[in-house]
Amino acid sequence: MTTYESIAILTGAGLSAESGLSTFRDKGGIWSKYRIEDVATPEAFARDPRTVLDFYNMRRRRVLDTRPNAGHEALARLEAGFPGTVTTITQNVDPLHERAGTRNLIHMHGEILKALCMHCGTRRRWEVDITVDVTCGACGRTGGLRPDVVWFGEMPYEMDRISEVLEICDLFLSIGTSGNVYPAAGFAARALAAGAHTVELNLEPSKQNDLFAEAVHGKASEVVPDYVDRLLGG
Ligand code: OAD
């Protein structure tokens, strides 16, 4: 296999599916049960904070005891064993990459195990339900606590750092994402334009299918370890 120096990895909900977490757009996925505009926008939170908080409280409880699968573990192994740079950019708000041991990680859509105070901007680890009457431990104000996740209409986190990573990467892996949500859906095109070899590892061809020089279709727990073995020369 060609030698690479800088690998950028974009992951999505398909990577965590085999850990028992629902994807969004597959049959029976989260967006078949909830409407985005009811639970995942700043306007929804302003209108009906209880419904929005309940949606994330339910999702937070699910991730508390969830374990990474062989896909996450393989990506952590790649980061540890690859002689160049590996940067993992995840759209997932779950903590499974870090539980598997990935360190150079960007949570571009935030983290469900953190809370953000809208009054003072303080972020802190948060493993219990958030309710409308919680007081912020930093500023003492009530009613401003929200999950530290990015909602539709908000800017994803660390976009400047992501741009730098996409600019210099020579291998771009897209794993378990349908390619529906921008700006993440635009990363493959940017990496391709910057000269990277682009690869899709997904259950099925995504919407970005034509942007990948190589595609491997199958379960993340199988295709990701195989691909990582090839990269590490195992
Ligand atoms: P989607 O649910 O849109 O897509 C999941 C992809 O994973 C699909 O292409 C599936 O075919 C694939 N898939 C399912 N099971 C798999 C498996 N076991 N192995 C490999 N692939 C599998 O999820 P995302 O693309 O991550 O954003 O969604 C992107 C964003 O939309 C999310 O971060 C979230 C959501 O709305 C916000 O809430 C802001």
Side-chain angles (χ1 to χ4, degrees), residues 216-229:
V216 188
H217 297 131
K219 291 181 181 176
S221 66
E222 294 167 5
V223 295
V224 177
D226 283 354
Y227 201 86
V228 166
D229 285 346

Side-chain angles (χ1 to χ4, degrees), residues 12-14 17-18 23-26 31 91 109 150 152 176-178 181 202-204 218-220:
E18 292 164 80
T23 58
F24 293 93
R25 295 174 184 79
D26 290 309
W31 297 147
Q91 298 167 88
H109 288 169
V150 174
F152 284 88
T177 178
S178 64
V181 177
N202 204 52
L203 201 54
E204 60 195 7
K219 291 181 181 176

Side-chain angles (χ1 to χ4, degrees), residues 195-218:
H197 179 65
T198 53
V199 184
E200 167 162 274
L201 303 167
N202 204 52
L203 201 54
E204 60 195 7
S206 72
K207 282 184 86 172
Q208 310 289 309
N209 200 23
D210 53 345
L211 293 173
F212 296 105
E214 193 184 342
V216 188
H217 297 131

Side-chain angles (χ1 to χ4, degrees), residues 65-87:
D65 298 321
T66 304
R67 296 171 58 84
N69 62 56
H72 300 98
E73 283 160 4
L75 295 181
R77 191 157 51 80
L78 179 63
E79 184 189 285
F82 183 70
T85 308
V86 178
T87 307

